[in-house]
Amino acid sequence: MHQQEHTAGGARPRPVAAAVLTAASAVAAIVLAAWGSGAFGGTTVQDAAGGYLSATATPVAPAAAAFSIWSLIYVGLLAYAVWQLLPRALASGRQRALRPWAAASMLLNAAWLWAAQIGSPSVALPVTLVVMLALLAVLCRMLVLHLSTPAGSFLESTVSDGTFGLYLGWICVATVANAAALVAALLGIAPGAARPALPGGTSAAAVAIVVLAVAVAVGVALALRGRISPLLSFAWGLAWIAVGRLTGPLGMPEVGVTAAVAAAVVLAVAIAARLRAGRRPGPTTARRSKEAPA
């Protein structure tokens, strides 16, 4: 199912079928997200996998309020799903390259929500981590594609670059939390704050994980050419790890303070990188102005 796109080299089919599949993937992701929240009577994510995916399961699990970022991400995905059906997007070579990866990211998100419902932590946690790593790889590929070709408009930069940038930053945080949940399960550490005590060295390990994550984020920031959306959602996740450890039932002040400082560092690096990119003179100024929101 293709429409013809006329170019200097002749007619080329527009990927209508691929665009429709991408839109359907967005709908599937949103419906399964509602199911994962318990809207249709399913088990909520925080209660799935033996509770290891809850906001108090591990020292690096963000507080429950952090997950509200999914509302923004899903709105962005829905906006992208609609926008990429429009004639200009159908004619875009950039979106032609991005569209299969966008659909894959949304289907993998749906797959993660399904995997979390498997039941036994010994099965659900490894499967969810594998799916999460695949999703992370897909979003990283999308970032490379976004960086390699400039957005054609402010709107494209917002709904494509911005949406999937936020998605990537949050999935980075979620991957760390998912991996920590699996490690806790393998070590036989019960989830939640009700356990009598954490094994010695747990706080130090959590602090090390946060510091390592920030080091990676700062390094990535240098390659993002002033794009801030991945760093904003990454800083958001770190901030809510801080809130969870400083005010939640799983209190770990050393982890909370480290995560708070880390969030501030990432946010500062993001703003500095954006300002630096905006001040660069040269012929690419118009390109950067289109990409500013991302």
Side-chain angles (χ1 to χ4, degrees):
M1 180 180 177
H2 294 285
Q3 292 179 352
Q4 294 297 312
E5 170 192 347
H6 295 280
T7 66
R12 183 172 64 181
R14 291 183 176 183
V16 176
V20 171
L21 175 61
T22 301
S25 299
V27 173
I30 292 170
V31 170
L32 277 176
W35 177 56
S37 69
F40 303 133
T43 303
T44 62
V45 170
Q46 67 177 359
D47 295 325
Y52 278 100
L53 298 173
S54 72
T56 57
T58 70
V60 293
F67 297 90
S68 63
I69 196 174
W70 276 117
S71 297
L72 180 59
I73 292 172
Y74 284 132
V75 167
L77 292 177
L78 186 59
Y80 174 80
V82 173
W83 172 83
Q84 58 92 38
L85 289 168
L86 299 179
R88 182 169 181 174
L90 288 174
S92 168
R94 185 180 196 244
Q95 289 304 317
R96 186 185 297 270
L98 283 164
R99 196 173 280 111
W101 298 101
S105 75
M106 291 182 268
L107 292 174
L108 283 168
N109 180 65
W112 188 93
L113 289 164
W114 169 82
Q117 307 284 337
I118 289 176
S120 169
S122 62
V123 177
L125 292 174
V127 174
T128 54
L129 182 57
V130 169
V131 174
M132 187 74 78
L133 290 171
L135 174 55
L136 183 60
V138 166
L139 291 172
C140 285
R141 175 57 181 163
M142 291 191 71
L143 177 62
V144 171
L145 291 172
H146 277 131
L147 289 171
S148 65
T149 310
S153 65
F154 179 90
L155 181 58
E156 179 179 4
S157 179
T158 301
V159 300
S160 184
D161 304 54
T163 293
F164 289 99
L166 287 176
Y167 196 0
L168 171 60
W170 174 248
I171 290 302
C172 288
V173 175
T175 300
V176 171
N178 204 151
L182 176 58
V183 170
L186 292 174
L187 294 176
I189 304 172
R195 55 177 171 262
L198 287 164
T202 301
S203 294
V207 168
I209 290 171
V210 171
V211 171
L212 177 61
V214 172
V216 172
V218 171
V220 170
L222 299 177
L224 287 180
R225 304 174 191 171
R227 293 166 184 265
I228 62 173
S229 55
L231 298 175
L232 291 178
S233 52
F234 189 73
W236 168 271
L238 289 172
W240 283 105
I241 292 174
V243 171
R245 301 298 80 79
L246 291 173
T247 65
L250 185 57
M252 301 179 73
E254 61 276 32
V255 178
V257 170
T258 302
V261 172
V265 169
V266 171
L267 188 59
V269 169
I271 294 173
R274 180 65 220 145
L275 292 175
R276 181 183 177 187
R279 288 197 299 266
R280 287 177 188 162
T284 57
T285 301
R287 167 180 170 173
R288 287 196 304 273
S289 68
K290 289 180 180 179
E291 297 176 346

